């Protein structure tokens, strides 16, 4: 079992910054591709960013590209999402997730952390 715990969410004004963390435990972390997703009230969960196991490749949704940065520190078993220039539409519960099987799907999820951006 892989356990993922997000932290760092909170209330911030538009234009501000937050850094989310996802701490992993329970299984080997370094070999997993990781991603961040978010879900706003009344909306479906959407992809935000992903990073490969060695941190050498990242990809972002168009809505956050240029503002968010995903990174990982395998030595600390932690994935980060640095969010800058936050907008009201970024308000959502943010989840980190891992790809732990050859299916390529995100199959391990954290509990989520709330990010609220006031306008």
């Amino acid at each position: 079992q892989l356990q993922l715990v997000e932290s760092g969410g909170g209330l911030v004004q538009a234009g501000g910054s937050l850094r989310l963390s996802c701490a992993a435990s329970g299984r080997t972390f370094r070999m997993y591709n990781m991603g961040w997703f978010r879900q706003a009230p009344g909306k479906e969960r959407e992809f935000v960013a992903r990073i490969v196991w060695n941190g050498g490749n990242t990809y972002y949704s168009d809505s956050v590209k240029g503002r968010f940065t995903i990174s990982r520190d395998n030595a600390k078993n932690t994935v980060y999402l640095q969010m800058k220039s936050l907008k009201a539409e970024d308000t959502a519960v943010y989840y980190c997730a891992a790809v732990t099987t050859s299916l390529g799907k995100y199959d391990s999820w954290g509990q989520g952390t709330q990010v609220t951006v006031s306008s």
Side-chain angles (χ1 to χ4, degrees):
Q1 58 184 11
L2 176 66
Q3 297 177 347
L4 302 174
V5 180
E6 302 94 335
S7 62
L11 176 65
V12 63
Q13 292 187 342
S17 300
L18 282 175
R19 189 184 72 164
L20 305 183
S21 298
C22 175
S25 63
R27 297 178 65 180
T28 301
F29 168 77
R30 60 184 177 179
M31 300 302 295
Y32 298 144
N33 294 343
M34 301 292 295
W36 284 97
F37 295 77
R38 67 186 182 186
Q39 186 169 27
K43 297 183 178 180
E44 295 184 351
R45 183 173 296 181
E46 65 173 340
F47 166 79
V48 175
R50 67 171 180 251
I51 186 168
V52 299
W53 67 272
N54 64 358
N57 187 269
T58 59
Y59 186 80
Y60 302 89
S61 67
D62 289 339
S63 62
V64 307
K65 190 176 300 181
R67 299 187 298 117
F68 291 11
T69 302
I70 187 172
S71 62
R72 67 191 297 163
D73 187 339
N74 287 343
K76 297 181 179 180
N77 294 328
T78 303
V79 178
Y80 305 96
L81 185 68
Q82 179 66 56
M83 305 183 294
K84 299 180 179 179
S85 301
L86 284 163
K87 306 174 181 179
E89 51 263 43
D90 294 319
T91 295
V93 176
Y94 283 71
Y95 301 88
C96 67
V99 178
T100 65
T101 74
S102 61
L103 295 177
K105 298 181 179 180
Y106 292 95
D107 48 39
S108 184
W109 297 82
Q111 84 291 344
T113 185
Q114 177 70 49
V115 173
T116 302
V117 184
S118 61
S119 60

